[in-house]
Amino acid sequence: MSGVGVFPGSFDPPTVAHLAVAEAAWRQCRLDRLDLVVSRVALGKDAAAQTAVEERVAALERLASGRPWLGVGVTAHRLLADVAAGYEVLVVGADKWAQLHDPAWYEGCTADRDAALARLPRVVVAPRAGFVLPEDVEVLDIDPEHHHVSSTAVRAGRHDWRADRP
């Protein structure tokens, strides 16, 4: 095994795709542990519209139960480079990969973006419908049935996509 990885997200709620990504990262990266980490105030999300952090963490803890390799955490950090500090691997979906490279998330400053990107550990990316990945990224092997799964769809009624069903 080779260390600890982090998979940050809002996980509102956790989906079967989140679990598939976590399992693929754990296996492919040969991790001892993978932490699912929620930001207290997520970048680019409307905090008032989100489920309370405590409820999302409880859902993640249910998901991690029985999976000793899966951890759960909460952070005050908002930028993925800050969330990933101290980890060997950062796991992101293709949508977050695009955001990582968009200067808008760094107040329009390409120098700040470049500095944040330089601080990242090894990054592995999960394919996501509607996002094209550059050839130079390490892509996780995820069943294509998960590429369209989203928390938004679960909140809209696709309960079969929810991963932490009681």
Side-chain angles (χ1 to χ4, degrees), residues 11-30:
F11 304 106
D12 190 15
T15 67
V16 294
H18 289 131
L19 184 56
V21 169
E23 288 176 343
W26 174 61
R27 282 192 180 93
Q28 285 179 235
C29 299
R30 301 182 45 80

PDB file of all heavy atoms in Angstrom, residues 11-30:
ATOM      1  N   PHE A  11     -20.791  15.887  -1.229  1.00  0.00           N
ATOM      2  CA  PHE A  11     -21.461  14.636  -0.847  1.00  0.00           C
ATOM      3  C   PHE A  11     -22.866  14.915  -0.303  1.00  0.00           C
ATOM      4  O   PHE A  11     -23.223  14.493   0.792  1.00  0.00           O
ATOM      5  CB  PHE A  11     -20.627  13.852   0.177  1.00  0.00           C
ATOM      6  CG  PHE A  11     -19.233  13.547  -0.285  1.00  0.00           C
ATOM      7  CD1 PHE A  11     -18.142  14.227   0.233  1.00  0.00           C
ATOM      8  CD2 PHE A  11     -19.011  12.581  -1.251  1.00  0.00           C
ATOM      9  CE1 PHE A  11     -16.853  13.950  -0.198  1.00  0.00           C
ATOM     10  CE2 PHE A  11     -17.723  12.294  -1.701  1.00  0.00           C
ATOM     11  CZ  PHE A  11     -16.640  12.988  -1.167  1.00  0.00           C
ATOM     12  N   ASP A  12     -23.655  15.616  -1.105  1.00  0.00           N
ATOM     13  CA  ASP A  12     -24.977  16.069  -0.663  1.00  0.00           C
ATOM     14  C   ASP A  12     -26.081  15.524  -1.550  1.00  0.00           C
ATOM     15  O   ASP A  12     -26.677  16.268  -2.319  1.00  0.00           O
ATOM     16  CB  ASP A  12     -25.008  17.599  -0.639  1.00  0.00           C
ATOM     17  CG  ASP A  12     -26.259  18.159   0.028  1.00  0.00           C
ATOM     18  OD1 ASP A  12     -26.962  17.401   0.724  1.00  0.00           O
ATOM     19  OD2 ASP A  12     -26.535  19.344  -0.155  1.00  0.00           O
ATOM     20  N   PRO A  13     -26.395  14.237  -1.449  1.00  0.00           N
ATOM     21  CA  PRO A  13     -25.889  13.179  -0.582  1.00  0.00           C
ATOM     22  C   PRO A  13     -24.813  12.362  -1.301  1.00  0.00           C
ATOM     23  O   PRO A  13     -24.594  12.533  -2.502  1.00  0.00           O
ATOM     24  CB  PRO A  13     -27.130  12.325  -0.342  1.00  0.00           C
ATOM     25  CG  PRO A  13     -27.835  12.378  -1.660  1.00  0.00           C
ATOM     26  CD  PRO A  13     -27.613  13.796  -2.151  1.00  0.00           C
ATOM     27  N   PRO A  14     -24.166  11.423  -0.574  1.00  0.00           N
ATOM     28  CA  PRO A  14     -23.217  10.531  -1.236  1.00  0.00           C
ATOM     29  C   PRO A  14     -23.962   9.600  -2.191  1.00  0.00           C
ATOM     30  O   PRO A  14     -25.054   9.126  -1.875  1.00  0.00           O
ATOM     31  CB  PRO A  14     -22.588   9.757  -0.081  1.00  0.00           C
ATOM     32  CG  PRO A  14     -23.501   9.920   1.073  1.00  0.00           C
ATOM     33  CD  PRO A  14     -24.271  11.186   0.854  1.00  0.00           C
ATOM     34  N   THR A  15     -23.353   9.374  -3.347  1.00  0.00           N
ATOM     35  CA  THR A  15     -23.986   8.552  -4.379  1.00  0.00           C
ATOM     36  C   THR A  15     -23.210   7.262  -4.614  1.00  0.00           C
ATOM     37  O   THR A  15     -22.073   7.102  -4.155  1.00  0.00           O
ATOM     38  CB  THR A  15     -24.031   9.315  -5.724  1.00  0.00           C
ATOM     39  OG1 THR A  15     -22.690   9.470  -6.203  1.00  0.00           O
ATOM     40  CG2 THR A  15     -24.714  10.668  -5.581  1.00  0.00           C
ATOM     41  N   VAL A  16     -23.832   6.375  -5.383  1.00  0.00           N
ATOM     42  CA  VAL A  16     -23.155   5.140  -5.772  1.00  0.00           C
ATOM     43  C   VAL A  16     -21.912   5.459  -6.599  1.00  0.00           C
ATOM     44  O   VAL A  16     -20.926   4.712  -6.565  1.00  0.00           O
ATOM     45  CB  VAL A  16     -24.096   4.172  -6.521  1.00  0.00           C
ATOM     46  CG1 VAL A  16     -25.190   3.667  -5.593  1.00  0.00           C
ATOM     47  CG2 VAL A  16     -24.683   4.819  -7.764  1.00  0.00           C
ATOM     48  N   ALA A  17     -21.913   6.570  -7.317  1.00  0.00           N
ATOM     49  CA  ALA A  17     -20.734   6.972  -8.090  1.00  0.00           C
ATOM     50  C   ALA A  17     -19.613   7.424  -7.153  1.00  0.00           C
ATOM     51  O   ALA A  17     -18.442   7.104  -7.392  1.00  0.00           O
ATOM     52  CB  ALA A  17     -21.083   8.077  -9.074  1.00  0.00           C
ATOM     53  N   HIS A  18     -19.952   8.168  -6.083  1.00  0.00           N
ATOM     54  CA  HIS A  18     -18.923   8.539  -5.110  1.00  0.00           C
ATOM     55  C   HIS A  18     -18.250   7.282  -4.567  1.00  0.00           C
ATOM     56  O   HIS A  18     -17.020   7.222  -4.446  1.00  0.00           O
ATOM     57  CB  HIS A  18     -19.523   9.327  -3.930  1.00  0.00           C
ATOM     58  CG  HIS A  18     -19.967  10.704  -4.268  1.00  0.00           C
ATOM     59  ND1 HIS A  18     -21.221  11.176  -3.916  1.00  0.00           N
ATOM     60  CD2 HIS A  18     -19.342  11.729  -4.889  1.00  0.00           C
ATOM     61  CE1 HIS A  18     -21.339  12.425  -4.312  1.00  0.00           C
ATOM     62  NE2 HIS A  18     -20.213  12.789  -4.921  1.00  0.00           N
ATOM     63  N   LEU A  19     -19.040   6.288  -4.235  1.00  0.00           N
ATOM     64  CA  LEU A  19     -18.490   5.042  -3.692  1.00  0.00           C
ATOM     65  C   LEU A  19     -17.654   4.315  -4.740  1.00  0.00           C
ATOM     66  O   LEU A  19     -16.566   3.815  -4.434  1.00  0.00           O
ATOM     67  CB  LEU A  19     -19.608   4.144  -3.162  1.00  0.00           C
ATOM     68  CG  LEU A  19     -19.153   2.859  -2.486  1.00  0.00           C
ATOM     69  CD1 LEU A  19     -18.190   3.130  -1.332  1.00  0.00           C
ATOM     70  CD2 LEU A  19     -20.365   2.077  -1.988  1.00  0.00           C
ATOM     71  N   ALA A  20     -18.111   4.287  -5.973  1.00  0.00           N
ATOM     72  CA  ALA A  20     -17.343   3.633  -7.044  1.00  0.00           C
ATOM     73  C   ALA A  20     -16.008   4.346  -7.266  1.00  0.00           C
ATOM     74  O   ALA A  20     -14.973   3.699  -7.461  1.00  0.00           O
ATOM     75  CB  ALA A  20     -18.154   3.611  -8.337  1.00  0.00           C
ATOM     76  N   VAL A  21     -16.018   5.664  -7.217  1.00  0.00           N
ATOM     77  CA  VAL A  21     -14.780   6.437  -7.369  1.00  0.00           C
ATOM     78  C   VAL A  21     -13.839   6.152  -6.202  1.00  0.00           C
ATOM     79  O   VAL A  21     -12.635   5.923  -6.395  1.00  0.00           O
ATOM     80  CB  VAL A  21     -15.083   7.951  -7.478  1.00  0.00           C
ATOM     81  CG1 VAL A  21     -13.815   8.786  -7.359  1.00  0.00           C
ATOM     82  CG2 VAL A  21     -15.805   8.259  -8.785  1.00  0.00           C
ATOM     83  N   ALA A  22     -14.377   6.155  -4.993  1.00  0.00           N
ATOM     84  CA  ALA A  22     -13.562   5.885  -3.809  1.00  0.00           C
ATOM     85  C   ALA A  22     -12.924   4.502  -3.900  1.00  0.00           C
ATOM     86  O   ALA A  22     -11.719   4.346  -3.651  1.00  0.00           O
ATOM     87  CB  ALA A  22     -14.404   6.008  -2.536  1.00  0.00           C
ATOM     88  N   GLU A  23     -13.703   3.491  -4.256  1.00  0.00           N
ATOM     89  CA  GLU A  23     -13.178   2.130  -4.357  1.00  0.00           C
ATOM     90  C   GLU A  23     -12.121   2.023  -5.451  1.00  0.00           C
ATOM     91  O   GLU A  23     -11.090   1.375  -5.264  1.00  0.00           O
ATOM     92  CB  GLU A  23     -14.314   1.137  -4.590  1.00  0.00           C
ATOM     93  CG  GLU A  23     -15.164   0.942  -3.356  1.00  0.00           C
ATOM     94  CD  GLU A  23     -16.370   0.027  -3.567  1.00  0.00           C
ATOM     95  OE1 GLU A  23     -16.761  -0.215  -4.732  1.00  0.00           O
ATOM     96  OE2 GLU A  23     -16.926  -0.429  -2.554  1.00  0.00           O
ATOM     97  N   ALA A  24     -12.366   2.665  -6.601  1.00  0.00           N
ATOM     98  CA  ALA A  24     -11.392   2.629  -7.697  1.00  0.00           C
ATOM     99  C   ALA A  24     -10.093   3.313  -7.282  1.00  0.00           C
ATOM    100  O   ALA A  24      -8.998   2.804  -7.566  1.00  0.00           O
ATOM    101  CB  ALA A  24     -11.978   3.295  -8.941  1.00  0.00           C
ATOM    102  N   ALA A  25     -10.184   4.445  -6.604  1.00  0.00           N
ATOM    103  CA  ALA A  25      -8.982   5.162  -6.162  1.00  0.00           C
ATOM    104  C   ALA A  25      -8.210   4.321  -5.146  1.00  0.00           C
ATOM    105  O   ALA A  25      -6.979   4.217  -5.219  1.00  0.00           O
ATOM    106  CB  ALA A  25      -9.355   6.514  -5.567  1.00  0.00           C
ATOM    107  N   TRP A  26      -8.928   3.741  -4.198  1.00  0.00           N
ATOM    108  CA  TRP A  26      -8.283   2.909  -3.174  1.00  0.00           C
ATOM    109  C   TRP A  26      -7.523   1.756  -3.828  1.00  0.00           C
ATOM    110  O   TRP A  26      -6.366   1.501  -3.495  1.00  0.00           O
ATOM    111  CB  TRP A  26      -9.352   2.413  -2.200  1.00  0.00           C
ATOM    112  CG  TRP A  26      -8.870   1.440  -1.177  1.00  0.00           C
ATOM    113  CD1 TRP A  26      -7.919   1.649  -0.214  1.00  0.00           C
ATOM    114  CD2 TRP A  26      -9.314   0.089  -1.012  1.00  0.00           C
ATOM    115  NE1 TRP A  26      -7.764   0.513   0.555  1.00  0.00           N
ATOM    116  CE2 TRP A  26      -8.608  -0.460   0.081  1.00  0.00           C
ATOM    117  CE3 TRP A  26     -10.251  -0.699  -1.670  1.00  0.00           C
ATOM    118  CZ2 TRP A  26      -8.802  -1.767   0.517  1.00  0.00           C
ATOM    119  CZ3 TRP A  26     -10.451  -1.998  -1.228  1.00  0.00           C
ATOM    120  CH2 TRP A  26      -9.730  -2.513  -0.148  1.00  0.00           C
ATOM    121  N   ARG A  27      -8.172   1.079  -4.775  1.00  0.00           N
ATOM    122  CA  ARG A  27      -7.542  -0.077  -5.430  1.00  0.00           C
ATOM    123  C   ARG A  27      -6.418   0.349  -6.378  1.00  0.00           C
ATOM    124  O   ARG A  27      -5.304  -0.146  -6.297  1.00  0.00           O
ATOM    125  CB  ARG A  27      -8.596  -0.873  -6.204  1.00  0.00           C
ATOM    126  CG  ARG A  27      -9.448  -1.734  -5.328  1.00  0.00           C
ATOM    127  CD  ARG A  27     -10.262  -2.725  -6.162  1.00  0.00           C
ATOM    128  NE  ARG A  27     -11.058  -3.536  -5.284  1.00  0.00           N
ATOM    129  CZ  ARG A  27     -12.319  -3.260  -4.944  1.00  0.00           C
ATOM    130  NH1 ARG A  27     -12.922  -2.200  -5.428  1.00  0.00           N
ATOM    131  NH2 ARG A  27     -12.982  -4.058  -4.131  1.00  0.00           N
ATOM    132  N   GLN A  28      -6.743   1.257  -7.314  1.00  0.00           N
ATOM    133  CA  GLN A  28      -5.779   1.626  -8.355  1.00  0.00           C
ATOM    134  C   GLN A  28      -4.547   2.338  -7.786  1.00  0.00           C
ATOM    135  O   GLN A  28      -3.448   2.166  -8.299  1.00  0.00           O
ATOM    136  CB  GLN A  28      -6.439   2.519  -9.405  1.00  0.00           C
ATOM    137  CG  GLN A  28      -7.340   1.758 -10.340  1.00  0.00           C
ATOM    138  CD  GLN A  28      -8.003   2.656 -11.358  1.00  0.00           C
ATOM    139  OE1 GLN A  28      -9.219   2.669 -11.486  1.00  0.00           O
ATOM    140  NE2 GLN A  28      -7.213   3.416 -12.078  1.00  0.00           N
ATOM    141  N   CYS A  29      -4.739   3.139  -6.754  1.00  0.00           N
ATOM    142  CA  CYS A  29      -3.623   3.889  -6.168  1.00  0.00           C
ATOM    143  C   CYS A  29      -2.971   3.120  -5.026  1.00  0.00           C
ATOM    144  O   CYS A  29      -2.009   3.612  -4.427  1.00  0.00           O
ATOM    145  CB  CYS A  29      -4.096   5.259  -5.680  1.00  0.00           C
ATOM    146  SG  CYS A  29      -4.757   6.282  -7.007  1.00  0.00           S
ATOM    147  N   ARG A  30      -3.524   1.958  -4.717  1.00  0.00           N
ATOM    148  CA  ARG A  30      -2.993   1.094  -3.654  1.00  0.00           C
ATOM    149  C   ARG A  30      -2.868   1.861  -2.337  1.00  0.00           C
ATOM    150  O   ARG A  30      -1.829   1.856  -1.683  1.00  0.00           O
ATOM    151  CB  ARG A  30      -1.672   0.468  -4.081  1.00  0.00           C
ATOM    152  CG  ARG A  30      -1.801  -0.378  -5.354  1.00  0.00           C
ATOM    153  CD  ARG A  30      -0.527  -1.046  -5.791  1.00  0.00           C
ATOM    154  NE  ARG A  30       0.225  -1.698  -4.731  1.00  0.00           N
ATOM    155  CZ  ARG A  30      -0.043  -2.903  -4.210  1.00  0.00           C
ATOM    156  NH1 ARG A  30      -1.073  -3.592  -4.645  1.00  0.00           N
ATOM    157  NH2 ARG A  30       0.707  -3.403  -3.255  1.00  0.00           N
TER     158      ARG A  30
END
